């Protein structure tokens, strides 16, 4: 079993993660259409159900139609969910149930590359999910499309951050049931206070201050102006927070996974 010091050493990455990423892609490709539609259905139902339903009661928020306000939240929400579900349920299956990671490490591939491949693959799936939502909201003219392509690198970065956070839970999980704590205690409350459904300015001051510490808030602060045809403010701050969450969570996840698997 690795010592505590060796578990926390810096990630040692190489291009060998690429074949692992490709393996995950080839497996996913067999069920690509159901996967994309499944990731698309939930946010689209929220978008049109709440957008037109609440939009009839609240015509405008911040000077824009409510459904247009909600669209940016749904892009980030979809990205977060796609990355989280991939590293939690699919990643846990490959690590613990199917023992796919152990099989891969019989080849000259280190655990660091396997975990990094899971991170990048989850972000790639999140990019597909987020891009699908962008296509829908653009097709229905719900947003200003001048800066819509700038959302693609942001979606990938957000996918990396939430995939890294999810990998921490995967490294700790004894079973699939464990993930309900993550969704109930972290993902769902964060979704409700990060500006997905309403401006965070509506929150009490203490809760608003807490919301500014959450990665989803910073993702929405970047995505919403871009989808409304404006350039966001404090770009470096928001990107730094999202990237910081991703880097710190990946390091923690890798250390926990080393301690769990390298015995």
């Amino acid at each position: 079993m690795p010592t505590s010091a060796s578990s926390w050493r810096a990630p040692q990455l190489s291009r060998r993660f690429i074949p692992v990423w490709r393996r995950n892609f080839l497996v996913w490709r067999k069920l690509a259409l159901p996967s994309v539609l499944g990731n698309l259905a939930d946010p689209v139902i929220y978008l049109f159900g709440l957008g037109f339903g609440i939009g009839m009661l609240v015509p405008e928020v911040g000077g824009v139609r409510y459904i247009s306000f909600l669209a940016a939240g749904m892009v980030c929400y979809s990205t977060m969910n796609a990355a989280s579900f991939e590293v939690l349920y699919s990643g846990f299956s490959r690590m613990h149930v199917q023992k796919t990671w152990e099989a891969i490490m019989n080849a000259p591939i280190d655990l660091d590359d396997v975990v990094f491949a899971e991170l990048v693959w989850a972000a790639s799936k999140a990019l597909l999910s987020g891009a699908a939502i962008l296509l829908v909201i653009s097709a229905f003219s719900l947003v200003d499309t001048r800066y819509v392509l700038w959302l693609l690198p942001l979606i990938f970065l957000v996918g990396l951050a939430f995939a890294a956070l999810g990998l921490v839970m995967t490294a700790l999980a004894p079973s699939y049931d464990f993930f309900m704590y993550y969704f109930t205690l972290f993902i769902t409350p964060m979704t409700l206070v990060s500006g997905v459904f309403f401006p965070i300015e509506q929150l009490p001051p203490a809760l608003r201050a807490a919301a500014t510490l959450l990665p989803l808030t910073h993702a929405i602060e970047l995505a919403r102006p871009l989808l409304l045809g404006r350039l966001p403010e404090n770009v470096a701050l928001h990107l730094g927070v999202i990237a910081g969450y991703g880097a710190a969570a990946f390091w923690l996840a890798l250390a926990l996974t080393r301690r769990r698997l390298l015995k």
Side-chain angles (χ1 to χ4, degrees):
M1 184 174 181
T3 64
S4 177
S6 64
S7 295
W8 289 94
R9 69 181 185 277
Q12 298 175 344
L13 307 176
S14 72
R15 288 183 295 178
R16 291 178 179 177
F17 83 91
I18 297 175
V20 184
W21 180 95
R22 183 173 179 272
R23 178 261 173 207
N24 290 342
F25 169 75
L26 291 175
V27 172
W28 169 83
R29 191 173 64 176
K30 299 176 182 178
L31 298 171
L33 183 59
S35 176
V36 172
L37 292 177
N39 287 329
L40 190 61
D42 190 50
V44 167
I45 290 171
Y46 273 111
L47 176 63
F48 289 107
L50 295 178
F52 287 118
I54 297 179
M56 296 295 291
L57 303 174
V58 185
E60 289 190 354
V61 175
V64 300
R65 291 184 301 164
Y66 180 69
I67 193 169
S68 298
F69 175 89
L70 184 62
M74 286 298 102
V75 170
C76 296
Y77 171 80
S78 175
T79 301
M80 174 185 69
N81 272 356
S84 299
F85 272 96
E86 179 62 26
V87 295
L88 293 175
Y89 292 97
S90 298
F92 184 77
S93 294
R94 288 187 285 267
M95 178 191 72
H96 181 71
V97 180
Q98 301 169 352
K99 306 293 185 183
T100 303
W101 293 11
E102 293 183 19
I104 291 173
M105 287 190 293
N106 286 322
I109 298 178
D110 292 334
L111 179 61
D112 294 29
D113 289 321
V114 174
V115 177
F116 186 64
E118 291 287 337
L119 176 81
V120 178
W121 168 242
S124 301
K125 282 195 67 176
L127 177 60
L128 289 173
S129 179
I133 297 293
L134 284 179
L135 185 62
V136 170
I137 62 179
S138 299
F140 282 89
S141 301
L142 300 179
V143 294
D144 190 313
T145 58
R146 278 179 290 177
Y147 302 121
V148 70
L149 292 180
W150 289 26
L151 266 292
L152 296 178
L154 174 63
I155 288 170
F156 188 74
L157 177 62
V158 173
L160 288 173
F162 281 102
L165 289 167
L167 282 170
V168 175
M169 297 297 105
T170 299
L172 294 171
S175 68
Y176 293 108
D177 294 337
F178 183 80
F179 300 136
M180 290 305 300
Y181 295 109
Y182 180 64
F183 280 101
T184 302
L185 300 177
F186 181 64
I187 294 294
T188 299
M190 178 169 57
T191 300
L192 294 175
V193 303
S194 292
V196 174
F197 302 108
F198 53 85
I200 63 172
E201 289 75 18
Q202 303 298 317
L203 296 171
L207 197 54
R208 188 189 319 156
T212 61
L213 302 177
L214 300 172
L216 186 59
T217 300
H218 293 273
I220 293 172
E221 288 294 321
L222 291 171
R224 183 162 284 135
L226 292 174
L227 288 175
L228 296 177
R230 304 193 301 265
L231 294 177
E233 300 178 354
N234 302 315
V235 174
L237 170 64
H238 297 311
L239 290 177
V241 171
I242 298 168
Y245 265 98
F250 176 68
W251 197 326
L252 175 59
L254 187 56
L256 294 172
T257 306
R258 286 168 178 163
R259 296 188 66 175
R260 176 168 181 158
L261 296 184
L262 297 182
K263 298 179 181 179

